[in-house]
């Protein structure tokens, strides 16, 4: 039942045009643009730095923005309430959604990795393990925040807030512009955001370095805190 539910959630996510635009088309366009166009200053090789940025954006888009909007509208139209009235256990519904989200992230990592290889990125000796760990932690952190927002706020408000937060984090949250290039106070704040921790950690790992323990701690704290609040505030309708 769980396998069926995960496969269903993954297919539903990949069938929606706006979801594919947000989770695949925009990250792919950004990866190619950042690598080939020198609009944003990035360390060489540019494909390596661009991949870290785009992977962070992809995880944020899927685990936070798409998840929050999808959950908000499923609540609004009574989808979750109807599912809860069937023989499908509630835990399986939740795990199915999380598994579908993880499936989309896996597709993103594979597609973006293949395109980055074609653009000149070459994985370092220790980077795959760190990248996998950071992607998992980033997915958990953003997923917890997405469930918290989508499960406790009205759908129309979720749509507005999720998109505004996506743009703010993209341009001022350490994703597109590294924290080191931001003004001092803002740079300090960005280091404590899941977007900044994930993007900086991925860029470091993909360049062959070792991410800071702080990056891992920040993602874990956001996962635990947001997840804990979500378990108490999420509503089915």
């Amino acid at each position: 039942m769980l396998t069926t539910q995960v496969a269903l959630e993954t297919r539903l996510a990949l069938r929606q045009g706006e979801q594919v635009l947000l989770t695949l088309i925009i990250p792919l366009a950004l990866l190619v643009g950042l690598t080939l166009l020198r609009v944003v200053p990035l360390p060489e090789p540019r494909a390596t730095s661009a991949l870290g940025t785009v992977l962070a954006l992809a995880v944020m888009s899927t685990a936070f923005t798409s998840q929050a909007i999808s959950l908000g509208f499923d609540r609004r139209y009574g989808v979750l309430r109807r599912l809860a009235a069937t023989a499908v256990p509630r835990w399986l519904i939740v795990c199915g959604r999380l598994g579908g989200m993880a499936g989309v992230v896996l597709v993103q990592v594979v597609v973006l990795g293949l395109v980055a290889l074609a653009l000149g990125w070459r994985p370092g000796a220790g980077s795959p393990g760190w990248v996998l760990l950071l992607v998992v932690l980033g997915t958990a952190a953003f997923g917890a925040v997405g469930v918290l927002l989508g499960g406790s706020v009205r759908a129309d408000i979720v749509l507005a807030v999720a998109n505004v937060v996506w743009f703010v984090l993209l341009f001022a949250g350490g994703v597109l512009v590294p924290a080191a290039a931001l003004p001092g106070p803002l740079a300090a704040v960005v280091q404590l955001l899941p977007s900044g921790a994930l993007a900086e950690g991925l860029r470091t790992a993909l360049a062959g370095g070792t991410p800071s323990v702080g990056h891992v701690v920040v993602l874990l704290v956001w996962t635990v805190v947001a997840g804990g609040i979500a378990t108490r505030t999420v509503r089915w309708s």
Side-chain angles (χ1 to χ4, degrees):
M1 290 174 67
L2 179 59
T3 302
T4 302
Q5 190 71 16
V6 169
L8 174 63
E9 293 287 352
T10 304
R11 288 198 303 272
L12 288 175
L14 293 176
R15 281 178 183 174
Q16 298 179 26
E18 65 275 14
Q19 296 269 25
V20 174
L21 174 66
L22 185 65
T23 59
L24 275 178
I25 305 302
I26 292 178
L28 277 173
L30 192 59
L31 175 61
V32 175
L34 288 176
T35 303
L36 301 181
L37 304 176
R38 300 182 178 274
V39 179
V40 178
L42 292 176
E44 296 292 342
R46 291 183 64 86
T48 300
S49 300
L51 179 59
T53 296
V54 173
L55 278 178
L57 173 64
V59 170
M60 181 175 72
S61 299
T62 298
F64 170 65
T65 311
S66 295
Q67 176 79 355
I69 294 173
S70 173
L71 180 58
F73 279 94
D74 280 353
R75 288 175 52 237
R76 178 176 181 174
Y77 295 123
V79 174
L80 295 181
R81 188 172 63 250
R82 288 180 175 85
L83 282 174
T86 67
V88 180
R90 291 197 175 195
W91 68 265
L92 193 142
I93 297 172
V94 175
C95 290
R97 293 188 70 95
L98 296 177
M101 178 183 67
V104 175
V105 171
L106 178 61
V107 171
Q108 290 174 308
V109 170
V110 171
V111 172
L112 292 172
L114 291 174
V115 173
L117 283 171
L119 292 172
W121 168 65
R122 294 297 178 267
S127 63
W130 277 110
V131 169
L132 178 61
L133 175 63
L134 290 168
V135 166
V136 170
L137 292 177
T139 302
F142 278 114
V145 178
V147 170
L148 173 60
L149 176 62
S152 57
V153 182
R154 279 182 13 218
D156 48 351
I157 299 178
V158 171
L159 181 62
V161 172
N163 283 302
V164 168
V165 171
W166 186 87
F167 276 104
V168 171
L169 293 182
L170 174 61
F171 293 104
V175 177
L176 187 59
V177 181
L182 297 171
L186 182 57
V189 173
V190 165
Q191 297 285 355
L192 301 178
L193 297 177
S195 55
L198 179 59
E200 293 292 337
L202 285 173
R203 282 191 285 260
T204 301
L206 289 168
T210 301
S212 165
V213 176
H215 297 146
V216 175
V217 171
V218 167
L219 294 174
L220 284 173
V221 169
W222 276 92
T223 301
V224 173
V225 173
I229 298 174
T231 57
R232 292 169 174 79
T233 59
V234 168
R235 300 188 300 268
W236 287 86
S237 60

